[in-house]
Amino acid sequence: MEYSSPKKLTLTLGITFFIFIAELIGGIISNSLALLSDAGHVFTDSFAIILSLLASIIVRKPSGKKATYGYHKIGILAAFINGVSLIVIAGLIFFEGYRRLINPPHIDFNIMLPVAFFGFIGNLVMAWILGHKHEDLNIKSAWLHVLGDTVSSAGVIIAGLIIKFTGWLIVDPLISWFVGFIIILGGMRVVKDSLWIFLDFVPKGFDIETISDEIRKIKGIIDIHDVHIWSIGYGVTAFSAHVVVDNCLLSEADIIRKQIENKLTNIGIKHSVIQIECIRCENSSIYCDHKKSMNHGYH
């Protein structure tokens, strides 16, 4: 059964809450940092999933006078906050792991192991609910949280088994560092993806010069300049350009515009703004000269 993004996140949030309570209580009783660090990660997940859930609802609002592009960037902002929270929690785990590495405490592995196993199974279920293919950065960030939890739960299980059979208490903080490393990698990835969109960089997978060359091949087009490609939201790519055509009827220019839009749609760009011109610029370039545009009062 295929669930909508809010439904997926709601189910995931419910499971996350139960795992957090179990691991928090189990970590306190067993005195396991690896288990407590996993509980801390799960707590961060709960916060992250709530943000993602709210954002997934807001981004569905239609565009209007306050947001002509819609509310896609709300979801990106939530993903950015989620990514930063992952990095912060990893830093706390590293710090506490260092303290316990110097002075390893006693750990009750008989409690640690079953709780960690419960968390591992719960995280597998959540990963299955969220899936691995994501058209929404919010779902992706939540999935990365859950994936980090799954790996960390497996790490806690391994730590518990090693402590049980060898008595090496030092394994607990070492495993917690491993968990922290997995968490910080996921956080940095989400932060990078969200900043890439916020800064209006060209979306990955699109080459502005290749696209411009393909458009120039359309019959009747003389030149293309002032090309912009950016993301309105995750997976929502926008394109704008000035296109110089032969002197022709407006109806013929409209046919050319539709041909351009068809080419763009075929490569995954569904939102485009094409300005048709019949006079070529003196210093034509596919990249916009903002200084010149400001001096002449047009763009």
Side-chain angles (χ1 to χ4, degrees):
M1 182 182 296
E2 184 65 27
Y3 296 112
S4 63
S5 293
K7 185 75 171 180
K8 288 179 179 180
L9 291 168
T10 302
L11 290 171
T12 303
L13 181 61
I15 298 172
T16 301
F17 177 76
F18 284 110
I19 293 176
F20 166 68
I21 295 299
E23 291 193 339
L24 178 63
I25 296 173
I28 293 173
I29 296 174
S30 66
N31 203 25
S32 168
L33 175 61
L35 197 55
L36 285 172
S37 66
D38 196 32
H41 187 201
V42 172
F43 176 76
T44 309
D45 285 352
S46 300
F47 175 69
I49 293 170
I50 289 171
L51 276 178
S52 296
L53 179 58
L54 292 174
S56 67
I57 295 172
I58 293 173
V59 297
R60 281 170 164 70
K61 293 179 62 178
S63 57
K65 62 180 181 180
K66 290 184 178 180
T68 56
Y69 273 131
Y71 293 85
H72 296 282
K73 289 285 172 67
I74 298 294
I76 306 304
L77 178 60
F80 175 78
I81 295 172
N82 285 344
V84 172
S85 70
L86 281 169
I87 296 173
V88 171
I89 198 70
L92 294 174
I93 290 171
F94 289 144
F95 176 74
E96 183 62 22
Y98 173 74
R99 289 180 56 194
R100 293 202 172 201
L101 191 64
I102 297 173
N103 185 24
H106 172 73
I107 296 171
D108 188 343
F109 57 82
N110 290 319
I111 295 176
M112 177 184 178
L113 273 174
V115 173
F117 184 75
F118 170 75
F120 179 73
I121 297 300
N123 283 308
L124 285 179
V125 172
M126 289 190 291
W128 176 76
I129 291 173
L130 294 174
H132 65 281
K133 294 181 180 179
H134 314 108
E135 298 179 356
D136 184 336
L137 189 56
N138 265 308
I139 295 292
K140 181 179 180 180
S141 65
W143 181 75
L144 284 172
H145 273 271
V146 170
L147 184 62
D149 270 342
T150 305
V151 174
S152 64
S153 294
V156 174
I157 293 172
I158 294 171
L161 290 172
I162 293 175
I163 292 170
K164 179 179 180 178
F165 292 108
T166 67
W168 296 345
L169 297 177
I170 197 175
V171 171
D172 186 60
L174 290 178
I175 289 294
S176 72
W177 278 355
F178 172 73
V179 172
F181 180 72
I182 296 296
I183 293 171
I184 204 168
L185 283 180
M188 290 175 66
R189 185 177 176 183
V190 172
V191 168
K192 179 184 176 182
D193 287 347
S194 56
L195 283 178
W196 194 276
I197 295 173
F198 269 123
L199 296 174
D200 288 333
F201 287 166
V202 175
K204 296 175 183 178
F206 294 96
D207 186 291
I208 193 168
E209 295 183 3
T210 301
I211 294 172
S212 299
D213 288 341
E214 285 298 313
I215 291 175
R216 285 193 184 95
K217 293 178 183 179
I218 297 175
K219 185 179 179 180
I221 292 179
I222 299 174
D223 190 29
I224 179 172
H225 61 97
D226 289 357
V227 178
H228 297 278
I229 303 177
W230 72 102
S231 294
I232 298 173
Y234 187 70
V236 185
T237 306
F239 176 94
S240 70
H242 294 203
V243 178
V244 183
V245 301
D246 291 320
N247 192 8
C248 60
L249 296 173
L250 181 60
S251 58
E252 294 173 335
D254 194 54
I255 292 174
I256 293 175
R257 178 187 60 78
K258 290 179 179 179
Q259 289 178 322
I260 296 172
E261 290 177 347
N262 287 336
K263 274 186 176 290
L264 294 174
T265 299
N266 290 336
I267 61 174
I269 301 175
K270 298 180 181 180
H271 181 89
S272 60
V273 178
I274 310 299
Q275 180 172 316
I276 302 294
E277 303 170 345
C278 62
I279 300 177
R280 187 168 185 168
C281 295
E282 294 180 6
N283 299 312
S284 178
S285 170
I286 62 172
Y287 305 108
C288 178
D289 186 344
H290 289 284
K291 187 178 292 185
K292 185 186 78 171
S293 298
M294 290 172 65
N295 292 336
H296 289 81
Y298 66 86
H299 174 64

